[in-house]
Amino acid sequence: MVIRLDTLTKAFFALTLLASACGGDRPEIPLATVGADRLLFERGTESMQEGDWRTAREYFLQVRDNYPLSPLQAVSRLGMGDTLEAEGTIESYIQAMAEYRDFLARYPTHDRVDYAQYKLGMVYYQQMRSPERDQSETHNAIVEFELFTQRYPTSQYIDEAQEHLREARDRLSESNFVVGHFYHRRKWYPGAIDRLEMILDEDPNYSETDAVYFYLADSLRHTAGRAAEALPMFRRILEEFPDSEFMKDATERIAGLEQAAATDDP
């Protein structure tokens, strides 16, 4: 009995300190109070809605660590992940990922497991860098969103996940395009061809495919033995992208290639 009283006393003072840190207007909620887990969770939810991430996290932490049998323990882990993601720092993103992964590992059949997987992708998505920089986070976002779409095709988050997945793929393809376009400007056509063909192979639905076709075709027409491959690619711009900014230049390139071909015919 002495041990139990000591434990409850410590828990009471821990909640007292927590209430003090969170603001004097918040009533104390001793851990032994009936329904304390729900009261703590509700306070955490309220604090999160107010944008007070640290206070919310303290409430969720109490539920997570002190109520192993509570049905709210699992969602409190998600709450902690959400507050960490919302802080938006490198450190908090790392901790948020740990919370979401821990949820996925502990509760694989929970009815919010799709949310945890979606948010895991979002943490990487929010860290994606500009096309000129390292794309490790973009790669990771694609992996997590692809996993989400495969596992949870009927989830309420599927539309958002697919939209973000398309954006992540576009970012990665744009990164390759930046390099390919740079090589084209420098007239190092083999390098341009490699990068631009990579986009067509890995991401045929890239939103700027007309630009890829144009610079790839233009690189091919400057490459010995591959000029013939350029003509059908320029034509695809006219056929598939009638509103493309490359229509005029593609038309001129086609005319030039056709004239050259006619001249070469015996």
Side-chain angles (χ1 to χ4, degrees):
M1 180 63 69
V2 174
I3 294 176
R4 177 171 175 75
L5 288 175
D6 286 346
T7 301
L8 292 178
T9 300
K10 290 178 182 178
F12 178 85
F13 281 114
L15 261 292
T16 301
L17 290 174
L18 173 59
S20 175
C22 296
D25 59 337
R26 303 182 193 277
E28 300 165 0
I29 308 174
L31 297 181
T33 301
V34 175
D37 57 334
R38 181 163 296 279
L39 288 173
L40 288 164
F41 182 81
E42 289 173 354
R43 294 291 174 79
T45 302
E46 291 171 3
S47 296
M48 189 163 62
Q49 291 172 344
E50 295 168 0
D52 189 351
W53 315 122
R54 293 181 182 275
T55 300
R57 189 156 57 252
E58 287 299 324
Y59 281 125
F60 292 137
L61 181 65
Q62 290 296 317
V63 180
R64 188 195 73 177
D65 290 351
N66 295 296
Y67 298 93
L69 300 180
S70 171
L72 297 172
Q73 188 195 51
V75 288
S76 291
R77 292 180 183 276
L78 292 180
M80 290 188 64
D82 290 347
T83 63
L84 288 161
E85 180 208 9
E87 283 191 4
T89 67
I90 298 299
E91 294 76 11
S92 66
Y93 281 140
I94 293 173
Q95 294 177 60
M97 286 188 286
E99 290 293 338
Y100 293 134
R101 291 193 187 282
D102 188 51
F103 182 94
L104 291 168
R106 289 173 178 269
Y107 312 103
T109 60
H110 195 280
D111 59 6
R112 298 204 67 194
V113 69
D114 60 328
Y115 178 80
Q117 179 63 49
Y118 169 70
K119 294 294 282 186
L120 188 57
M122 284 301 299
V123 174
Y124 285 119
Y125 172 84
Q126 293 181 73
Q127 297 180 80
M128 294 192 311
R129 298 186 175 189
S130 62
E132 297 81 8
R133 303 184 65 186
D134 177 72
Q135 296 301 304
S136 296
E137 303 302 330
T138 307
H139 278 287
N140 290 332
I142 290 172
V143 169
E144 299 302 340
F145 283 134
E146 284 182 339
L147 188 59
F148 174 90
T149 58
Q150 292 166 10
R151 290 183 175 177
Y152 314 107
T154 61
S155 169
Q156 62 178 308
Y157 308 106
I158 188 65
D159 291 341
E160 295 173 45
Q162 289 177 333
E163 179 181 347
H164 294 317
L165 176 57
R166 180 65 267 163
E167 292 172 359
R169 285 174 173 161
D170 272 356
R171 181 68 56 83
L172 189 59
S173 293
E174 187 178 356
S175 179
N176 285 321
F177 178 79
V178 166
V179 177
H181 189 213
F182 172 79
Y183 289 151
H184 177 272
R185 291 200 313 270
R186 291 301 181 92
K187 299 182 179 180
W188 190 51
Y189 299 117
I193 291 170
D194 285 345
R195 283 290 181 150
L196 297 171
E197 285 184 334
M198 181 186 301
I199 297 173
L200 297 181
D201 290 340
E202 297 181 357
D203 187 15
N205 295 318
Y206 176 46
S207 60
E208 303 294 334
T209 301
D210 57 330
V212 177
Y213 281 153
F214 180 81
Y215 289 109
L216 177 54
D218 204 53
S219 297
L220 289 168
R221 80 184 181 96
H222 286 97
T223 303
R226 303 197 65 179
E229 299 176 49
L231 188 58
M233 197 159 291
F234 281 129
R235 285 174 175 159
R236 292 190 69 171
I237 297 175
L238 274 58
E239 295 167 0
E240 299 176 19
F241 304 94
D243 298 322
S244 173
E245 63 179 293
F246 300 100
M247 283 286 289
K248 180 181 178 181
D249 290 337
T251 301
E252 293 175 355
R253 299 291 199 280
I254 290 171
L257 287 168
E258 288 178 339
Q259 183 178 1
T263 302
D264 292 340
D265 285 340

